Amino acid sequence: FEKGGAMQEKLVKVLESYAAYRPDVGYVPAMACLAATLLINMEQLEAFISLANLINHPFHLSFFITDRSQMYKYTKTAETIIAALLPKIHKRLQDHHIEPEHYLVDWFMTMFTKVLPLDIVSRVWDIFLCDGLSFLYRVALAILKEHGHNLESDNRDFCLAALNKPPEGLT
């Protein structure tokens, strides 16, 4: 998908097609991660259809059109789950003033393509498509759990940077 690469033209066409199909949404950079992942697994037309279906789901659409009230609902749900199931990690995040929006928005918009290896992303997407939204929360919990040792740092910037990288045990 590099500039001038064999797949770049297909990626651009899928993204331009989506922007033309949904001018109210337009182009958002996170779409490239989704479209690229789809193009690895299917032809251009199927990738466009799949991208449209994925983004048009109320969960994803709320992030792509920046519907703050809906985004808050989804991130607050995640925070409640994190507090209940990972209380120590939740406390560390609070101590560092790291809100769920600081990492979950990117994770959800890119469907974890930036923080998980492709083989795991493929499995996550498969299960999400079968089980639905609740699985995305479970994936977020697993990533946070894997990052637990990174969140022990007293450096807030280090913790935030760690949350935007794949957990060490998964690379």
Side-chain angles (χ1 to χ4, degrees):
F1 298 102
E2 295 175 0
K3 189 169 184 142
M7 297 293 285
Q8 187 203 16
E9 185 177 325
K10 290 181 181 183
L11 177 62
V12 170
K13 284 185 179 182
V14 168
L15 295 170
E16 287 176 344
S17 297
Y18 184 81
Y21 163 66
R22 289 292 306 263
D24 59 317
V25 178
Y27 168 73
V28 177
M31 291 176 183
C33 297
L34 302 177
T37 303
L38 292 166
L39 282 167
I40 289 170
N41 293 291
M42 59 190 71
E43 293 300 319
Q44 189 174 319
L45 177 60
E46 289 80 14
F48 163 73
I49 293 168
S50 297
L51 180 68
N53 287 332
L54 186 62
I55 294 174
N56 292 342
H57 184 280
F59 171 77
H60 287 103
L61 189 59
S62 70
F63 289 94
F64 283 98
I65 64 171
T66 318
D67 180 342
R68 297 215 183 271
S69 65
Q70 286 298 102
M71 291 169 63
Y72 177 78
K73 180 180 93 171
Y74 292 122
T75 57
K76 190 64 176 172
T77 298
E79 183 178 30
T80 302
I81 295 168
I82 294 164
L85 300 178
L86 300 173
K88 290 180 184 176
I89 289 175
H90 181 256
K91 171 107 171 66
R92 288 299 294 169
L93 291 169
Q94 283 187 320
D95 291 347
H96 286 307
H97 304 286
I98 299 174
E99 299 297 325
E101 297 82 16
H102 294 143
Y103 55 95
L104 285 177
V105 171
D106 193 52
W107 290 3
F108 289 159
M109 287 181 77
T110 65
M111 289 282 294
F112 305 103
T113 58
K114 290 183 175 180
V115 293
L116 293 175
L118 182 59
D119 61 326
I120 295 175
V121 166
S122 296
R123 285 182 273 182
V124 166
W125 286 30
D126 285 345
I127 297 170
F128 163 71
L129 292 171
C130 290
D131 291 357
L133 182 57
S134 65
F135 187 69
L136 297 184
Y137 291 117
R138 294 196 315 241
V139 173
L141 285 170
I143 293 170
L144 284 172
K145 192 172 183 179
E146 285 296 313
H147 275 306
H149 66 283
N150 289 325
L151 301 175
E152 294 298 319
S153 171
D154 290 330
N155 184 323
R156 179 181 189 272
D157 292 336
F158 175 84
C159 293
L160 276 171
L163 291 172
N164 289 301
K165 295 180 186 170
E168 292 166 9
L170 299 179
T171 55

